[in-house]
Amino acid sequence: MAFDDLFRLSCHAVITDDQGRVLLLKSTYGTQGWGLPGGALDPAETIHEALLRECYEELGVEIRIRHLTGVYYHATYNAQAFVFRCELPQGARIRLSSEHSEHAYWVTADLSPVQQRRIRDCLAFAGEVQSARF
């Protein structure tokens, strides 16, 4: 990889409710699809700083990061996505930004194969960070 090549990094939070369903947000841009909270790193940010910032911007809540569970390469975007297990504070009320129109908790089996893999790896975390390419 050359110094000036374009390469993207993003971080995403896996947050579950008391029934084990995963929090997803529906975007108001691009494909307007559903995805995990999080997003791209800004220059000079650490992955933890980026995740905290992105989740606060998107959810209006300061999340708690528990641990990094996986790093996944996505060829379509030439990007590495860092996935973290996270929690919302007790009694938190989500306030979406203009980037998202809805939030909902989803059963993992209803998600795309890529999302299923990332989320299952996260929820089964036993101390070893997972990695895969899609």
Side-chain angles (χ1 to χ4, degrees):
M1 176 165 209
F3 181 78
D4 292 323
D5 286 352
L6 180 62
F7 188 72
R8 295 178 175 96
L9 301 173
S10 65
C11 337
H12 304 276
V14 173
I15 299 168
T16 55
D17 65 6
D18 57 0
Q19 296 172 31
R21 298 174 302 175
V22 178
L23 177 64
L24 297 181
L25 308 177
K26 184 174 185 189
S27 65
T28 58
Y29 55 89
T31 64
Q32 298 182 349
W34 289 86
L36 294 170
L41 276 72
D42 284 343
E45 266 186 328
T46 68
I47 55 177
H48 292 83
E49 291 167 340
L51 185 61
L52 292 170
R53 175 187 53 76
E54 283 284 345
C55 286
Y56 187 76
E57 288 173 3
E58 294 178 354
L59 303 172
V61 174
E62 291 186 18
I63 62 160
R64 178 176 168 254
I65 299 173
R66 289 180 46 198
H67 43 261
L68 173 67
T69 61
V71 182
Y72 303 92
Y73 176 72
H74 295 274
T76 302
Y77 305 105
N78 192 31
Q80 294 280 354
F82 297 86
V83 175
F84 291 83
R85 182 70 167 109
C86 299
E87 298 173 340
L88 293 175
Q90 185 73 18
R93 296 191 62 192
I94 294 173
R95 296 175 310 279
L96 296 176
S97 72
S98 61
E99 292 182 354
H100 298 94
S101 59
E102 298 177 59
H103 73 280
Y105 287 91
W106 290 61
V107 175
T108 305
D110 293 340
L111 304 176
S112 73
V114 170
Q115 288 286 49
Q116 286 183 32
R117 169 71 189 272
R118 296 180 345 165
I119 291 165
R120 285 187 177 132
D121 285 353
C122 181
L123 298 178
F125 182 72
E128 184 177 331
V129 175
Q130 300 298 305
S131 180
R133 82 178 78 216
F134 303 107

